[in-house]
Amino acid sequence: MVVMITGASRGIGFETALYFARLDNTEIFALSRNQAGLGQLASECAGLNKSSQVHPLVYDLDLFAENPDSLLKRLPVTVSHIDILINNAGVLINKPFLETDLDEIQRLFYTNCFAPALLIRHLMPFLGGKTVSHVVNISSMGGFQNSMKFPGLAYYSASKAALACLTECLSEELKDSKVVFNCLALGAVQTEMLEEAFPGYKAPLKASEMAEFIGHFARTAHKQMRGKIIPVSLTNP
Ligand SMILES: NC(=O)c1ccc[n+]([C@@H]2O[C@H](COP(=O)([O-])OP(=O)(O)OC[C@H]3O[C@@H](n4cnc5c(N)ncnc54)[C@H](OP(=O)(O)O)[C@@H]3O)[C@@H](O)[C@H]2O)c1
Protein backbone atom coordinates (compact mmCIF):
# COMPACT_ATOMS: atom_id res chain seq x y z
CA MET A 1 0.00 0.00 0.00
CA VAL A 2 1.26 3.50 -0.88
CA VAL A 3 0.12 6.37 1.33
CA MET A 4 0.83 10.10 1.12
CA ILE A 5 0.20 12.23 4.21
CA THR A 6 0.68 15.99 4.20
CA GLY A 7 1.54 17.84 7.39
CA ALA A 8 3.40 14.88 8.89
CA SER A 9 6.09 16.74 10.86
CA ARG A 10 3.98 17.04 14.01
CA GLY A 11 0.53 16.61 15.54
CA ILE A 12 -2.14 14.49 13.90
CA GLY A 13 -0.25 13.97 10.63
CA PHE A 14 2.85 12.74 12.47
CA GLU A 15 0.81 10.21 14.45
CA THR A 16 -1.11 9.12 11.35
CA ALA A 17 2.19 8.38 9.60
CA LEU A 18 3.22 6.30 12.63
CA TYR A 19 -0.09 4.41 12.41
CA PHE A 20 0.64 3.41 8.81
CA ALA A 21 4.29 2.59 9.58
CA ARG A 22 3.12 -0.18 11.94
CA LEU A 23 1.25 -1.95 9.11
CA ASP A 24 2.75 -4.49 6.74
CA ASN A 25 4.10 -3.54 3.30
CA THR A 26 3.31 0.14 3.48
CA GLU A 27 5.22 2.94 1.80
CA ILE A 28 4.48 6.30 3.40
CA PHE A 29 5.30 9.61 1.75
CA ALA A 30 5.35 12.04 4.65
CA LEU A 31 5.31 15.67 3.58
CA SER A 32 5.89 18.96 5.38
CA ARG A 33 8.33 21.88 5.53
CA ASN A 34 10.11 20.96 8.73
CA GLN A 35 13.08 18.68 8.11
CA ALA A 36 13.69 18.05 11.82
CA GLY A 37 10.09 16.91 12.40
CA LEU A 38 10.19 14.53 9.46
CA GLY A 39 13.60 13.25 10.58
CA GLN A 40 12.13 12.50 13.99
CA LEU A 41 9.22 10.72 12.30
CA ALA A 42 11.57 8.60 10.17
CA SER A 43 13.60 7.56 13.20
CA GLU A 44 10.46 6.69 15.23
CA CYS A 45 9.08 4.66 12.31
CA ALA A 46 12.31 2.76 11.71
CA GLY A 47 11.98 -0.68 13.18
CA LEU A 48 8.22 -0.51 13.81
CA ASN A 49 7.64 -2.85 10.89
CA LYS A 50 10.53 -3.94 8.69
CA SER A 51 8.29 -4.41 5.64
CA SER A 52 7.22 -0.75 5.71
CA GLN A 53 9.09 2.44 4.95
CA VAL A 54 8.70 6.17 5.47
CA HIS A 55 9.93 8.59 2.80
CA PRO A 56 10.23 12.12 4.19
CA LEU A 57 9.37 14.83 1.64
CA VAL A 58 10.54 18.22 2.88
CA TYR A 59 8.29 20.50 0.89
CA ASP A 60 6.31 23.73 1.24
CA LEU A 61 2.82 23.18 -0.17
CA ASP A 62 2.43 26.94 -0.51
CA LEU A 63 4.90 26.72 -3.44
CA PHE A 64 3.09 23.88 -5.18
CA ALA A 65 1.01 26.00 -7.58
CA GLU A 66 4.11 27.66 -9.04
CA ASN A 67 5.95 24.44 -9.71
CA PRO A 68 4.07 21.16 -9.18
CA ASP A 69 6.91 19.22 -10.84
CA SER A 70 9.20 20.20 -7.98
CA LEU A 71 7.23 17.75 -5.87
CA LEU A 72 6.09 15.20 -8.44
CA LYS A 73 9.64 14.60 -9.69
CA ARG A 74 10.64 13.55 -6.19
CA LEU A 75 8.35 10.53 -6.22
CA PRO A 76 10.40 7.42 -7.08
CA VAL A 77 9.74 5.97 -10.55
CA THR A 78 8.62 2.76 -8.82
CA VAL A 79 5.53 4.58 -7.54
CA SER A 80 2.76 4.42 -10.10
CA HIS A 81 -0.26 4.37 -7.80
CA ILE A 82 -1.16 6.08 -4.54
CA ASP A 83 -3.75 4.12 -2.55
CA ILE A 84 -4.40 6.73 0.12
CA LEU A 85 -3.87 10.49 0.08
CA ILE A 86 -4.52 12.28 3.37
CA ASN A 87 -4.67 16.04 2.96
CA ASN A 88 -3.92 16.85 6.58
CA ALA A 89 -1.55 19.86 6.39
CA GLY A 90 -3.25 22.96 7.66
CA VAL A 91 -2.58 26.38 9.04
CA LEU A 92 -4.48 28.39 11.63
CA ILE A 93 -4.24 32.13 12.24
CA ASN A 94 -6.19 33.17 15.34
CA LYS A 95 -6.99 36.82 14.68
CA PRO A 96 -10.11 39.01 14.72
CA PHE A 97 -11.86 39.20 11.36
CA LEU A 98 -11.51 42.99 11.23
CA GLU A 99 -7.73 42.82 11.76
CA THR A 100 -6.88 40.01 9.34
CA ASP A 101 -5.08 41.26 6.24
CA LEU A 102 -5.19 39.97 2.68
CA ASP A 103 -1.87 38.09 2.94
CA GLU A 104 -3.16 36.18 5.97
CA ILE A 105 -6.49 35.41 4.28
CA GLN A 106 -4.67 34.15 1.19
CA ARG A 107 -2.32 32.00 3.26
CA LEU A 108 -5.21 30.38 5.15
CA PHE A 109 -7.17 29.61 2.01
CA TYR A 110 -4.10 28.55 0.04
CA THR A 111 -2.74 26.03 2.55
CA ASN A 112 -6.11 24.75 3.76
CA CYS A 113 -8.00 24.52 0.47
CA PHE A 114 -6.14 25.49 -2.72
CA ALA A 115 -3.07 23.35 -1.99
CA PRO A 116 -5.11 20.16 -1.37
CA ALA A 117 -7.12 20.90 -4.54
CA LEU A 118 -3.97 21.37 -6.63
CA LEU A 119 -2.31 18.34 -5.10
CA ILE A 120 -5.30 16.18 -6.00
CA ARG A 121 -5.35 17.61 -9.51
CA HIS A 122 -1.66 16.93 -10.17
CA LEU A 123 -1.66 13.54 -8.45
CA MET A 124 -4.60 12.27 -10.55
CA PRO A 125 -2.23 10.18 -12.75
CA PHE A 126 -1.35 8.28 -9.53
CA LEU A 127 -4.91 8.00 -8.19
CA GLY A 128 -7.67 5.57 -9.16
CA GLY A 129 -7.44 3.88 -12.55
CA LYS A 130 -7.48 0.10 -12.16
CA THR A 131 -7.45 0.24 -8.35
CA VAL A 132 -9.44 2.46 -6.02
CA SER A 133 -7.69 5.32 -4.24
CA HIS A 134 -9.11 7.01 -1.16
CA VAL A 135 -8.56 10.75 -0.70
CA VAL A 136 -9.28 11.90 2.85
CA ASN A 137 -9.43 15.64 3.36
CA ILE A 138 -8.96 16.83 6.93
CA SER A 139 -11.35 19.63 7.76
CA SER A 140 -12.55 21.02 11.07
CA MET A 141 -15.77 21.21 13.07
CA GLY A 142 -15.30 24.97 12.71
CA GLY A 143 -16.11 24.54 9.01
CA PHE A 144 -19.05 22.18 9.59
CA GLN A 145 -22.53 23.52 8.99
CA ASN A 146 -24.39 24.63 12.15
CA SER A 147 -21.43 23.86 14.43
CA MET A 148 -20.37 26.27 17.18
CA LYS A 149 -18.30 29.18 15.82
CA PHE A 150 -15.51 31.14 17.54
CA PRO A 151 -14.24 34.73 17.24
CA GLY A 152 -10.82 34.91 15.62
CA LEU A 153 -11.33 31.82 13.50
CA ALA A 154 -13.62 33.15 10.75
CA TYR A 155 -11.18 32.71 7.85
CA TYR A 156 -9.74 29.45 9.20
CA SER A 157 -13.24 28.00 9.53
CA ALA A 158 -14.32 29.31 6.13
CA SER A 159 -11.25 27.77 4.48
CA LYS A 160 -12.06 24.41 6.10
CA ALA A 161 -15.69 24.67 4.96
CA ALA A 162 -14.38 25.25 1.44
CA LEU A 163 -12.29 22.07 1.65
CA ALA A 164 -15.33 20.12 2.83
CA CYS A 165 -17.45 21.40 -0.05
CA LEU A 166 -14.63 20.68 -2.50
CA THR A 167 -14.74 17.05 -1.31
CA GLU A 168 -18.43 16.76 -2.24
CA CYS A 169 -17.86 18.45 -5.61
CA LEU A 170 -14.90 16.23 -6.57
CA SER A 171 -16.79 13.14 -5.55
CA GLU A 172 -19.41 14.01 -8.18
CA GLU A 173 -17.16 15.43 -10.92
CA LEU A 174 -14.57 12.64 -10.73
CA LYS A 175 -16.96 9.78 -9.96
CA ASP A 176 -15.78 7.68 -12.92
CA SER A 177 -12.13 7.87 -11.89
CA LYS A 178 -12.11 5.19 -9.16
CA VAL A 179 -11.05 7.84 -6.68
CA VAL A 180 -13.20 8.01 -3.54
CA PHE A 181 -13.24 11.38 -1.76
CA ASN A 182 -14.29 11.83 1.85
CA CYS A 183 -13.77 14.57 4.40
CA LEU A 184 -13.34 14.35 8.18
CA ALA A 185 -14.36 17.42 10.19
CA LEU A 186 -12.29 17.05 13.34
CA GLY A 187 -13.17 18.30 16.79
CA ALA A 188 -10.63 19.22 19.45
CA VAL A 189 -7.37 17.26 19.52
CA GLN A 190 -4.44 18.19 21.78
CA THR A 191 -1.81 19.58 19.37
CA GLU A 192 0.24 22.74 18.90
CA MET A 193 -2.41 24.08 16.54
CA LEU A 194 -5.14 23.66 19.15
CA GLU A 195 -2.95 25.46 21.70
CA GLU A 196 -2.66 28.40 19.24
CA ALA A 197 -6.43 28.52 18.76
CA PHE A 198 -7.49 27.93 22.36
CA PRO A 199 -4.54 28.64 24.71
CA GLY A 200 -4.76 26.63 27.93
CA TYR A 201 -7.66 24.45 26.74
CA LYS A 202 -7.24 20.70 27.31
CA ALA A 203 -8.70 18.57 24.54
CA PRO A 204 -10.21 15.17 25.30
CA LEU A 205 -8.25 13.43 22.55
CA LYS A 206 -4.53 12.94 21.93
CA ALA A 207 -3.19 13.17 18.38
CA SER A 208 -2.40 9.44 18.45
CA GLU A 209 -6.05 8.63 19.30
CA MET A 210 -7.37 10.71 16.41
CA ALA A 211 -4.70 9.24 14.12
CA GLU A 212 -5.95 5.74 14.91
CA PHE A 213 -9.41 6.75 13.68
CA ILE A 214 -8.11 8.55 10.57
CA GLY A 215 -5.83 5.68 9.60
CA HIS A 216 -8.56 3.05 9.95
CA PHE A 217 -11.06 5.28 8.13
CA ALA A 218 -8.63 5.89 5.25
CA ARG A 219 -8.00 2.15 4.85
CA THR A 220 -11.59 0.98 4.99
CA ALA A 221 -14.32 3.63 4.63
CA HIS A 222 -14.07 3.97 0.82
CA LYS A 223 -16.03 0.69 0.72
CA GLN A 224 -18.98 2.21 2.57
CA MET A 225 -19.14 5.89 1.65
CA ARG A 226 -18.09 8.54 -0.86
CA GLY A 227 -18.36 12.31 -0.98
CA LYS A 228 -19.21 12.48 2.72
CA ILE A 229 -18.31 15.08 5.34
CA ILE A 230 -18.12 13.29 8.67
CA PRO A 231 -17.93 15.09 12.03
CA VAL A 232 -15.37 13.34 14.26
CA SER A 233 -15.75 15.17 17.51
CA LEU A 234 -16.17 14.69 21.24
CA THR A 235 -15.99 18.44 21.86
CA ASN A 236 -15.52 21.54 19.74
CA PRO A 237 -13.52 22.56 21.66
N1 LIG B 1 -5.89 19.86 16.54
C1 LIG B 1 -7.20 20.08 16.42
O1 LIG B 1 -7.92 20.24 17.42
C2 LIG B 1 -7.82 20.14 15.06
C3 LIG B 1 -9.21 20.35 14.99
C4 LIG B 1 -9.82 20.40 13.77
C5 LIG B 1 -9.07 20.24 12.62
N2 LIG B 1 -7.74 20.06 12.68
C6 LIG B 1 -6.99 19.90 11.43
O2 LIG B 1 -6.19 18.76 11.48
C7 LIG B 1 -5.00 18.96 10.70
C8 LIG B 1 -3.78 18.68 11.56
O3 LIG B 1 -3.83 19.56 12.66
P1 LIG B 1 -2.80 19.55 13.87
O4 LIG B 1 -3.55 19.98 15.05
O5 LIG B 1 -2.02 18.29 13.89
O6 LIG B 1 -1.87 20.80 13.41
P2 LIG B 1 -0.33 21.12 13.60
O7 LIG B 1 0.22 20.44 14.80
O8 LIG B 1 -0.20 22.59 13.50
O9 LIG B 1 0.32 20.45 12.31
C9 LIG B 1 0.07 20.99 11.04
C10 LIG B 1 0.94 20.29 10.03
O10 LIG B 1 0.74 20.92 8.74
C11 LIG B 1 2.01 21.18 8.17
N3 LIG B 1 1.97 22.32 7.26
C12 LIG B 1 1.44 23.55 7.51
N4 LIG B 1 1.64 24.36 6.45
C13 LIG B 1 2.31 23.61 5.52
C14 LIG B 1 2.80 23.89 4.22
N5 LIG B 1 2.68 25.09 3.66
N6 LIG B 1 3.43 22.91 3.52
C15 LIG B 1 3.59 21.68 4.09
N7 LIG B 1 3.13 21.36 5.31
C16 LIG B 1 2.51 22.32 6.03
C17 LIG B 1 2.93 21.43 9.38
O11 LIG B 1 4.26 21.12 9.07
P3 LIG B 1 5.46 22.15 8.83
O12 LIG B 1 5.22 23.33 9.72
O13 LIG B 1 6.64 21.32 9.13
O14 LIG B 1 5.37 22.46 7.38
C18 LIG B 1 2.42 20.40 10.36
O15 LIG B 1 3.04 19.14 10.13
C19 LIG B 1 -5.06 20.40 10.21
O16 LIG B 1 -5.56 20.43 8.89
C20 LIG B 1 -6.06 21.05 11.16
O17 LIG B 1 -6.70 22.16 10.58
C21 LIG B 1 -7.09 20.00 13.89
Side-chain angles (χ1 to χ4, degrees):
M1 174 170 54
V2 176
V3 182
M4 183 180 283
I5 305 169
T6 68
S9 64
R10 65 183 204 178
I12 297 165
F14 185 101
E15 294 293 337
T16 306
L18 277 176
Y19 168 92
F20 281 103
R22 291 188 193 100
L23 305 178
D24 289 338
N25 301 316
T26 307
E27 272 196 86
I28 303 132
F29 291 89
L31 184 153
S32 79
R33 296 164 299 186
N34 182 328
Q35 190 154 18
L38 291 181
Q40 172 74 18
L41 174 69
S43 67
E44 286 194 30
C45 288
L48 282 181
N49 185 326
K50 287 199 166 39
S51 68
S52 294
Q53 207 185 350
V54 171
H55 306 275
L57 286 174
V58 179
Y59 190 80
D60 185 350
L61 281 172
D62 293 354
L63 305 176
F64 187 65
E66 288 161 28
N67 188 2
D69 278 350
S70 61
L71 175 63
L72 302 180
K73 282 191 172 145
R74 288 166 55 188
L75 295 178
V77 284
T78 49
V79 173
S80 57
H81 189 262
I82 294 174
D83 301 287
I84 294 173
L85 167 63
I86 302 180
N87 280 310
N88 164 79
V91 67
L92 182 148
I93 300 171
N94 185 1
K95 207 167 179 182
F97 175 78
L98 296 177
E99 293 167 23
T100 310
D101 66 28
L102 183 59
D103 278 353
E104 291 164 328
I105 300 167
Q106 284 175 336
R107 186 159 165 246
L108 279 164
F109 273 86
Y110 190 86
T111 310
N112 292 347
C113 183
F114 301 169
L118 290 166
L119 197 59
I120 291 164
R121 176 181 164 183
H122 288 281
L123 286 178
M124 278 309 282
F126 299 90
L127 298 172
K130 289 195 182 121
T131 325
V132 171
S133 297
H134 193 189
V135 175
V136 180
N137 293 325
I138 302 298
S139 183
S140 166
M141 282 307 290
F144 193 75
Q145 198 174 17
N146 288 331
S147 67
M148 194 183 284
K149 301 294 186 275
F150 298 94
L153 298 181
Y155 287 113
Y156 168 78
S157 301
S159 69
K160 288 295 189 178
L163 179 64
C165 183
L166 180 79
T167 309
E168 293 180 316
C169 296
L170 295 186
S171 185
E172 180 58 28
E173 186 162 341
L174 302 175
K175 66 182 169 200
D176 298 327
S177 64
K178 276 211 170 182
V179 185
V180 173
F181 296 90
N182 283 303
C183 177
L184 298 178
L186 306 188
V189 181
Q190 197 61 49
T191 65
E192 291 175 56
M193 180 185 280
L194 184 90
E195 182 58 28
E196 283 159 32
F198 302 102
Y201 176 79
K202 290 285 167 252
L205 278 186
K206 292 189 280 191
S208 57
E209 292 169 320
M210 185 56 91
E212 194 79 22
F213 178 87
I214 295 171
H216 182 72
F217 180 89
R219 285 168 60 210
T220 59
H222 58 281
K223 295 177 195 147
Q224 287 92 20
M225 63 185 84
R226 62 190 311 143
K228 296 289 181 284
I229 303 165
I230 324 274
V232 188
S233 173
L234 288 171
T235 55
N236 175 38

